[in-house]
């Protein structure tokens, strides 16, 4: 009796490409995330209303590996407001579209909206 997947990759447990150990037993460090330079990122800026009339400046299109923590702290400092990065959207409290657009352009991001 022959097995259906005999001799195929589905027949064997997966192995790490770096050390050759089984994936479950591998102790290799995870690969570094690829940082996307600002020139290759297109950012869309939108002013949105939230609950109870709160207004936020929302930035979409930023790569999570592109140093969003540094960018967030810089934008919060420039605007003098709070902000957060969640679900791939960077939010700055208040209507700061012009300041955010100018800062992003100065840093080399391509800005829409």
């Amino acid at each position: 009796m022959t097995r259906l997947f005999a001799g195929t990759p589905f027949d064997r447990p997966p192995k790490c490409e770096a050390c050759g150990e089984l994936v479950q037993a591998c102790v290799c460090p995870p690969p570094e995330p690829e940082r996307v330079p600002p020139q290759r990122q297109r950012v869309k800026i939108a002013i949105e209303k939230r609950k109870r009339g709160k207004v936020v400046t929302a930035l979409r299109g930023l790569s999570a590996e592109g140093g969003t923590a540094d960018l967030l702290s810089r934008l919060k400092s420039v605007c003098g407001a709070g902000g957060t990065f969640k679900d791939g959207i960077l939010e700055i409290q208040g209507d700061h579209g012009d300041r955010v657009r100018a800062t992003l352009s100065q840093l080399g991001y391509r800005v829409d909206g």
Side-chain angles (χ1 to χ4, degrees):
M1 186 165 132
T2 61
R3 293 183 305 199
L4 181 62
F5 293 107
T8 67
F10 300 105
D11 187 37
R12 299 181 195 113
K15 293 186 177 186
C16 174
E17 294 178 8
C19 66
E21 294 290 326
L22 293 176
V23 172
Q24 293 85 2
C26 178
V27 293
C28 295
E32 289 291 323
E34 183 178 326
R35 294 184 65 104
V36 179
Q39 296 79 13
R40 291 183 41 209
Q41 295 186 46
R42 182 172 297 254
V43 181
K44 295 184 180 184
I45 300 174
I47 308 301
E48 300 176 354
K49 278 193 174 182
R50 298 293 161 91
K51 294 180 191 175
R52 300 182 185 147
K54 303 288 183 181
V55 177
V56 296
T57 304
L59 299 132
R60 290 180 173 81
L62 290 168
S63 171
E65 292 83 23
T68 54
D70 296 334
L71 179 62
L72 176 62
S73 74
R74 183 166 184 158
L75 290 174
K76 285 172 30 177
S77 174
V78 167
C79 297
T84 186
F85 182 77
K86 62 180 178 183
D87 299 330
I89 301 171
L90 195 145
E91 296 178 349
I92 303 292
Q93 296 172 353
D95 184 355
H96 300 286
D98 296 333
R99 289 181 186 170
V100 169
R101 184 174 291 106
T103 303
L104 290 175
S105 296
Q106 185 181 29
L107 293 173
Y109 288 90
R110 296 186 300 174
V111 180
D112 292 339

